[in-house]
Amino acid sequence: MFSASAFAMAACSEKDPVEQKIDSLLSRMTLEEKIGQMNQLTGIGLADDMTAQIRAGKVGSILNELDPGVINELQRVAVEESRLGIPLVFARDVIHGFKTIFPIPLGQAASWNPQVAEDGARIAAIESSSVGIRWTFAPMIDVTRDPRWGRIAESCGEDPYLASVMGAAMVRGFQGNELSDPSSVAACAKHFAAYGATESGKDYNTTWIPELQLREYYLPPFKAAADAGAATFMCSFNDINGVPSSGNAFLNRTVLRDEWGYDGMMVSDWGSIEQMIPHGFCHDLKEAAGKAANAGIDMDMMGYAYISHLADLVKEGTVSEKYIDESVRNVLRLKFRLGLFDNPYVDVTGEDIFYSDESLGKARRAAAESAVLLKNDRKVLPVGASVRSVAVVGPLADSPADQIGTWCFDGEPEHSVTPLAAIRSMYGDKVRVIAEPGLSYSRDKSAEGIRKACEAARNADVVLYFAGEEAVLSGEARCRADISLPGAQTELLKALKNTGKPVVLVVMAGRPLTIGYEAGLADAVLYSFHAGTMAGPGLADVIFGKEVPSGKLPVTMPRMVGQVPIYYAHKNTGRPAADITLIDDIEVGTKQTSLGFTSYHLDAGDSPLYPFGYGKSYTEFSYGPVTLSSDRLARGGSLTASCEITNTGDFDAAEAVQLYVRDHVGSLVRPVKELKGFNKVFIRKGETAKVEFVLSEDDLAYWHSAELSDGDLAFAHSTLVHTAEPGEFSVWIAPDSASGVPAVFSLE
Ligand code: NOJ
């Protein structure tokens, strides 16, 4: 019989076979070969001596090479001609599709259906791995409360819980059942961390975030991605509290490795190590290389910092070889997990698997499921059988490249099916389609086409106006200080409205836009975050009623940009908004003291245009009261919250049911609501579904000081704990973040 200690020793000696292989390889590597594994170069405009560098063991990974023939040849040099035969890993930004493009991630999040995100990532993995890409730089799970930031398009929106669920689904989709399967690609949780907090919504900008806020808001999606097995992480460009992420040992070592026990690989962002020089954090590239290596960045993406300086830094003692070994272990572990040592080449004999019927079908459903119906007066939508003619108007109606959205290097606009093309081919035999763009692109300011567009409107029963933003107006470094509809799109809408015909405004954009005025003019508003290759058929399905809209907002939509940041999980002030008087209602000469003293904007009030989680359907859902299995939650126990939801309308439809919680009183002020669960359920008309959520102590936990009685200690970093405090909690089961009646329970 084993004693406990003998058992522990036996377990120790049975080291994971992958770790044994890494040990053996590492013991044979020179310092230069180790550093070579930490170097990632671009394949675009391959350096003349790339082959020689690979042969010499100076390259660990290549990004942006897409020709499978070239990939195999470079791989052959690595495997057959370098001293140790370590394979390369080929990487690419495959964010929301490779060839078959799904909605931008913000749109996928609007589906509130993790299966949409998983399917999108799976198809992206199958297509991109077929040319030899085995590592993608996705999912991007930076939460953000700033729609000015162009990269909100790539994110899953403002909420850490929604982003956690969607991000984990994407990880599963990219990585498949086995990372070693040739159709799997390693995921990369990026950008670690708090990139979405970028000041003024301007890309790469500075952030200042107390540790409590970092842990409570920005880090949870990354923890969820690590738990879902994301094989790699990427650091962010921004500095946090003065320390750029590329040199941030607290994030990359203390949190990621020590606390979370993460054993994947951490890559820098493109040139982000070198960029610590203009940040003013390092004097030169050598110092930057040292700070990044010491902070736990395993691989240098296109910075030439490691390959140029790490060897000297180790010899001088600035960087310990122990750190180099840890990084190389992480790189080799990724390559073993991907099966590259056994199967380094891409099979080029297979059939082309791009744009399969199944993939296009899923992309079409995703486009439909991520569209959010914001307004539908007089039930203008769906376009019914009595409609004989539609005017298809607007700069986004037939713009194949724009509907693909940002961060799509490999999407092919010639494969996009636009709304105009889809409506013509799907419904052209049932309705007369009168197409007149009115404006030729979203920023077009010329009024020349407006007259013709109005003529088209007058000749039609319904106007379908496809407005929005070109793809190039969102994405990396594509930030806007004014997030209204660009160009003369509002003028065009006004003119269309004046024809007296019902106008359906379909917005196709990379971010929430301030469309309050336009939403007031339109009879119906359907919001689509650039929905990809099949945006046209997906939107046509919704517009003509083949699909019932079920998307809900993954972000709060502001009335005006000055409200930003505006988000549902805000904290209450000591003087919450009440008795709001708007600027136009203030009489001239009104005294300062007569308006009251509560928290709101004179010109915007205190509410968003549309709240987080909001989205209408063609049917109606009636929510019953929230029922709790008990009004007390015991420590370590659980409590079930349930609600009966009846489809009282005329369509079978899906509903994203949302669970929110509020901690009434905390040792630190708590948000007025926090999303803790959601479930998209399909309910036939006339039927009722009971939706249940199980809540545990963990769902109520938050980061605060260990000393519950003293809020001041929140500023003492070392005392932070993640626990639930006793007291009363409200729980809502609701269609969005702004409605519902809560039930109350207490935690002992
Ligand atoms: C910079 C971007 O920030 C990052 O998201 C991307 O993956 C890399 N460039 C590689 O293209």
Side-chain angles (χ1 to χ4, degrees):
M1 212 170 104
F2 280 121
S3 70
S5 59
F7 184 79
M9 277 172 61
C12 242
S13 63
E14 279 166 28
K15 198 170 179 184
D16 179 332
V18 167
E19 299 305 316
Q20 285 178 10
K21 287 181 193 165
I22 296 173
D23 284 344
S24 143
L25 200 45
L26 206 52
S27 68
R28 288 182 288 139
M29 292 172 84
T30 63
L31 177 61
E32 283 68 24
E33 284 167 333
K34 290 177 185 172
I35 293 166
Q37 287 303 309
M38 299 168 70
N39 185 30
Q40 184 183 51
L41 297 180
T42 180
I44 294 181
L46 276 181
D48 291 345
D49 64 345
M50 180 70 97
T51 310
Q53 290 191 56
I54 294 170
R55 191 177 293 118
K58 290 186 172 170
V59 187
S61 171
I62 291 178
L63 77 161
N64 296 340
E65 177 53 60
L66 285 181
D67 181 331
V70 175
I71 286 180
N72 275 347
E73 174 52 16
L74 295 174
Q75 190 69 296
R76 190 196 63 74
V77 174
V79 170
E80 293 182 12
E81 296 182 11
S82 73
R83 192 177 76 87
L84 293 168
I86 300 174
L88 297 160
V89 53
F90 290 87
R92 179 74 163 171
D93 287 278
V94 182
I95 308 297
H96 53 113
F98 185 60
K99 297 295 177 187
T100 305
I101 307 301
F102 264 56
I104 54 172
L106 191 59
Q108 294 182 35
S111 74
W112 289 66
N113 181 355
Q115 194 59 49
V116 164
E118 187 169 336
D119 287 348
R122 189 84 287 273
I123 292 166
I126 290 169
E127 290 189 348
S128 57
S129 63
S130 78
V131 304
I133 301 302
R134 296 298 308 283
W135 179 18
T136 179
F137 302 125
M140 194 272 226
I141 42 177
D142 296 305
V143 278
T144 184
R145 291 164 169 169
D146 201 326
R148 296 171 297 182
W149 189 44
R151 298 197 85 168
I152 192 172
E154 276 178 78
S155 81
C156 293
E158 79 181 39
D159 186 71
Y161 180 81
L162 182 60
S164 297
V165 174
M166 289 296 178
M170 289 176 193
V171 170
R172 289 196 298 276
F174 284 127
Q175 299 194 167
N177 294 334
E178 285 292 334
L179 202 48
S180 58
D181 187 289
S183 76
S184 293
V185 300
C188 182
K190 73 182 188 186
H191 307 82
F192 198 59
Y195 189 29
T198 184
E199 210 172 85
S200 73
K202 198 172 64 174
D203 214 354
Y204 319 123
N205 211 357
T206 194
T207 72
W208 190 261
I209 307 169
E211 188 182 335
L212 282 168
Q213 171 78 344
L214 191 66
R215 289 184 179 277
E216 180 163 322
Y217 182 63
Y218 294 99
L219 296 188
F222 289 95
K223 176 69 166 64
D227 291 345
T232 70
F233 266 50
M234 183 190 291
C235 73
S236 59
F237 283 126
N238 54 292
D239 77 88
I240 305 177
N241 307 345
V243 182
S245 298
S246 307
N248 198 321
F250 168 71
L251 277 176
N252 305 326
R253 291 198 184 280
T254 310
V255 174
L256 185 64
R257 303 290 178 186
D258 302 346
E259 290 183 24
W260 298 356
Y262 183 68
D263 71 355
M265 198 265 275
M266 163 68 76
V267 66
S268 78
D269 203 341
W270 182 291
S272 67
I273 297 179
E274 176 196 357
Q275 288 158 25
M276 290 197 283
I277 305 168
H279 264 296
F281 193 64
C282 302
H283 293 90
D284 53 29
L285 194 60
K286 186 173 177 186
E287 189 184 352
K291 282 195 170 165
N294 283 333
I297 304 295
D298 299 321
M299 187 178 276
D300 173 9
M301 180 195 289
M302 277 308 290
Y304 299 102
Y306 284 180
I307 202 71
S308 312
H309 298 292
L310 264 190
D312 285 345
L313 287 161
V314 171
K315 284 170 198 153
E316 289 161 13
T318 309
V319 175
S320 144
E321 191 158 354
K322 181 176 150 280
Y323 276 170
I324 305 291
D325 286 355
E326 280 175 15
S327 286
V328 177
R329 264 182 189 286
N330 295 337
V331 176
L332 295 177
R333 193 178 293 120
L334 172 69
K335 294 182 177 184
F336 276 113
R337 285 178 175 169
L338 281 166
L340 290 171
F341 283 89
D342 297 326
N343 192 7
Y345 300 109
V346 53
D347 179 4
V348 287
T349 61
E351 286 188 4
D352 189 349
I353 40 87
F354 303 149
Y355 307 111
S356 73
D357 287 346
E358 192 189 348
S359 303
L360 291 174
K362 286 187 171 165
R364 174 179 178 163
R365 274 204 55 91
E369 215 178 324
S370 57
V372 187
L373 182 67
L374 295 174
K375 176 178 179 182
N376 195 15
D377 281 359
R378 290 175 283 110
K379 299 196 173 166
V380 176
L381 287 177
V383 169
S386 61
V387 171
R388 293 286 170 76
S389 53
V390 292
V392 177
V393 179
L396 272 293
D398 196 27
S399 186
D402 290 319
Q403 71 183 45
I404 283 180
T406 188
W407 265 114
C408 253
F409 293 145
D410 305 299
E412 296 160 316
E414 59 273 28
H415 283 267
S416 290
V417 186
T418 65
L420 176 60
I423 292 168
R424 274 193 173 133
S425 74
M426 291 158 59
Y427 298 98
D429 57 342
K430 299 182 191 72
V431 289
R432 194 155 74 91
V433 179
I434 313 165
E436 197 56 64
L439 297 166
S440 42
Y441 59 105
S442 75
R443 287 163 297 144
D444 188 354
K445 292 194 177 86
S446 99
E448 277 167 30
I450 294 186
R451 191 186 50 78
K452 277 192 175 170
C454 290
E455 216 171 278
R458 274 187 216 99
N459 289 325
D461 295 335
V462 174
V463 182
L464 304 176
Y465 176 26
F466 294 87
E469 281 181 312
E470 294 149 77
V472 74
L473 300 185
S474 60
E476 184 175 349
R478 307 287 172 263
C479 306
R480 297 182 59 196
D482 171 2
I483 53 171
S484 61
L485 276 177
Q489 295 187 85
T490 304
E491 299 315 304
L492 175 55
L493 177 60
K494 278 197 256 180
L496 292 170
K497 178 72 185 168
N498 284 338
T499 65
K501 294 298 169 88
V503 180
V504 176
L505 172 64
V506 184
V507 181
M508 299 164 74
R511 57 162 65 78
L513 296 171
T514 46
I515 53 160
Y517 176 70
E518 292 79 3
L521 289 180
D523 298 278
V525 180
L526 186 64
Y527 209 96
S528 166
F529 297 100
H530 291 139
T533 306
M534 297 299 276
L539 289 172
D541 286 343
V542 172
I543 291 167
F544 287 85
K546 190 161 176 276
E547 298 272 353
V548 178
S550 63
K552 299 213 175 187
L553 292 174
V555 277
T556 302
M557 285 189 71
R559 294 176 188 278
M560 53 184 84
V561 73
Q563 288 181 294
V564 172
I566 178 169
Y567 48 93
Y568 83 93
H570 63 87
K571 290 170 182 163
N572 248 353
T573 65
R575 295 180 173 202
D579 302 326
I580 290 174
T581 311
L582 290 178
I583 199 158
D584 290 340
D585 300 326
I586 303 173
E587 281 174 25
V588 179
T590 296
K591 293 213 164 46
Q592 283 289 346
T593 47
S594 59
L595 285 181
F597 295 90
T598 69
S599 175
Y600 66 91
H601 290 111
L602 284 181
D603 41 12
D606 193 47
S607 63
L609 181 61
Y610 297 107
F612 174 83
Y614 181 77
K616 293 168 77 71
S617 173
Y618 293 154
T619 197
E620 302 291 329
F621 292 104
S622 151
Y623 281 62
V626 178
T627 312
L628 300 178
S629 56
S630 164
D631 59 4
R632 277 168 197 281
L633 174 58
R635 295 272 165 186
S638 66
L639 178 153
T640 303
S642 57
C643 179
E644 293 199 340
I645 298 159
T646 305
N647 181 341
T648 57
D650 299 327
F651 295 80
D652 300 340
E655 165 76 342
V657 181
Q658 300 159 39
L659 174 84
Y660 294 92
V661 164
R662 177 177 186 175
D663 184 347
H664 291 189
V665 179
S667 58
L668 298 175
V669 174
R670 303 301 303 140
V672 296
K673 266 183 195 177
E674 291 177 281
L675 183 73
K676 293 293 175 183
F678 63 89
N679 191 357
K680 199 160 184 180
V681 288
F682 185 80
I683 312 177
R684 291 191 190 287
K685 59 182 172 190
E687 292 187 359
T688 297
K690 184 170 180 184
V691 178
E692 290 187 347
F693 295 95
V694 177
L695 278 166
S696 70
E697 192 182 335
D698 206 38
D699 296 310
L700 312 176
Y702 76 102
W703 286 97
H704 57 91
S705 160
E707 304 295 323
L708 299 185
S709 58
D710 190 348
D712 287 347
L713 283 177
F715 298 100
H717 290 192
S718 55
T719 62
L720 299 188
V721 290
H722 188 247
T723 61
E725 294 175 336
E728 286 204 324
F729 294 80
S730 283
V731 54
W732 291 257
I733 296 177
D736 57 66
S737 64
S739 34
V741 179
V744 176
F745 69 91
S746 61
L747 175 70
E748 289 162 0

